[in-house]
Amino acid sequence: MTDASRRTESFGPDPVIEAYKRDVDRTLIRENLRLTVEQRFDALVRLQQFAAELRRAGEAASTTDEAR
Amino acid sequence: MTVDFRALISLLAGAGVEFIIVGGAAATAHGSARLTLDLDIVYRRTPANISRLVRALAPHQPYPRGAPPGLPFTWDERTVSNGLNFTLTTALGALDLLAEITGGGGYDELLPHSDRLELYGVECLCLGLQRLVHVKRAAGRPKDFEAIAELEAIVEERRKLG
């Protein structure tokens, strides 16, 4: 065991993380927990494709704006 | 570019590479709904495994991500042996090869904390949920706070499910 891993053996509740946790959308987590691991990865790939499409559309829109 | 998780994981597992899925992809495996744009793996640093890793990835144009084209980068056993962590682009998507991770160590230290997954028809290892929370908290990066909060919420939701 390295020093780094030994240092992390015990973590108590972190107030910063607890504050972030209040905003976690647990409905998405519950939906994901109903899926198989493979289905979760397939959903991630669809999300990546959607993000790439949004990025492309955003770049096209800013190019159009600059041309005006 | 999207990551072809199916192709990358099948490729590595099929080639007998010893690796553990970590980072955002591991979080996805455990139920995270967050977007991640690469596959992070911790690979075992034995000469035989490095050789398998190099041979498996060689046909898929591994190259340092974000580096200008034309660098004298040679993807071979010597390069991997002389380095530790490699953030790569490949024809199958962004791939981070890590020798070890903060708070978790290397392959052999992570192995007892890993889950065996049947994914895309192959068996592979994924860092367990509790250890994933540990390493992210150990890294202490503010950018991970939301991810840690979600992972801890997943732990809680799983407990509710029994």
Side-chain angles (χ1 to χ4, degrees):
Chain A
M1 183 180 280
T2 64
D3 287 345
S5 61
R6 201 176 293 118
R7 275 198 302 274
T8 62
E9 280 310 302
S10 59
F11 278 121
D14 180 329
V16 175
I17 301 301
E18 293 304 312
Y20 274 92
K21 222 188 275 183
R22 284 198 286 271
D23 295 322
V24 172
D25 187 341
R26 287 175 186 255
T27 62
L28 292 175
I29 292 174
R30 287 175 198 138
E31 275 184 28
N32 277 347
L33 291 180
R34 284 189 209 107
L35 304 176
T36 65
V37 173
E38 199 163 307
Q39 287 170 331
R40 292 172 198 164
F41 274 99
D42 290 343
L44 173 60
V45 170
R46 288 194 297 275
L47 186 57
Q48 284 185 344
Q49 288 165 344
F50 179 57
E53 179 59 16
L54 280 178
R55 204 174 300 122
R56 185 207 57 75
E59 284 166 3
S62 59
T63 305
T64 307
D65 280 350
E66 285 164 16
R68 277 186 195 142
Chain B
M1 183 189 177
T2 59
V3 180
D4 191 338
F5 289 102
R6 179 186 293 269
L8 268 175
I9 290 168
S10 302
L11 174 77
L12 295 171
V17 177
E18 294 168 287
F19 68 98
I20 299 170
I21 300 170
V22 298
T28 295
H30 292 300
S32 167
R34 293 170 63 80
L35 176 63
T36 186
L37 297 171
D38 60 12
L39 175 64
D40 298 338
I41 63 165
V42 171
Y43 65 102
R44 193 174 211 176
R45 291 276 297 172
T46 59
N49 197 51
I50 288 173
S51 180
R52 287 190 288 265
L53 178 66
V54 165
R55 272 187 276 121
L57 287 177
H60 303 283
Q61 298 99 47
Y63 192 76
R65 198 158 70 238
L71 286 182
F73 176 77
T74 305
W75 177 251
D76 60 13
E77 282 91 344
R78 190 174 167 195
T79 296
V80 178
S81 297
N82 288 340
L84 286 172
N85 299 339
F86 299 85
T87 54
L88 301 172
T89 59
T90 75
L92 303 174
L95 175 66
D96 289 0
L97 304 176
L98 308 169
E100 59 178 45
I101 53 176
T102 304
Y107 179 93
D108 291 330
E109 288 158 308
L110 294 173
L111 190 57
H113 305 284
S114 298
D115 298 335
R116 203 164 285 280
L117 300 180
E118 175 78 28
L119 187 59
Y120 301 129
V122 294
E123 204 172 73
C124 60
L125 293 169
C126 176
L127 191 59
L129 180 55
Q130 296 282 3
R131 183 55 42 157
L132 191 57
V133 173
H134 264 285
V135 297
K136 287 217 174 260
R137 287 184 67 167
R141 298 177 301 191
K143 71 166 193 159
D144 285 336
F145 288 171
E146 282 184 34
I148 296 167
E150 190 202 33
L151 290 171
E152 292 193 358
I154 292 170
V155 172
E156 291 166 8
E157 292 298 322
R158 281 188 166 187
R159 279 196 193 120
K160 285 184 204 166
L161 291 171

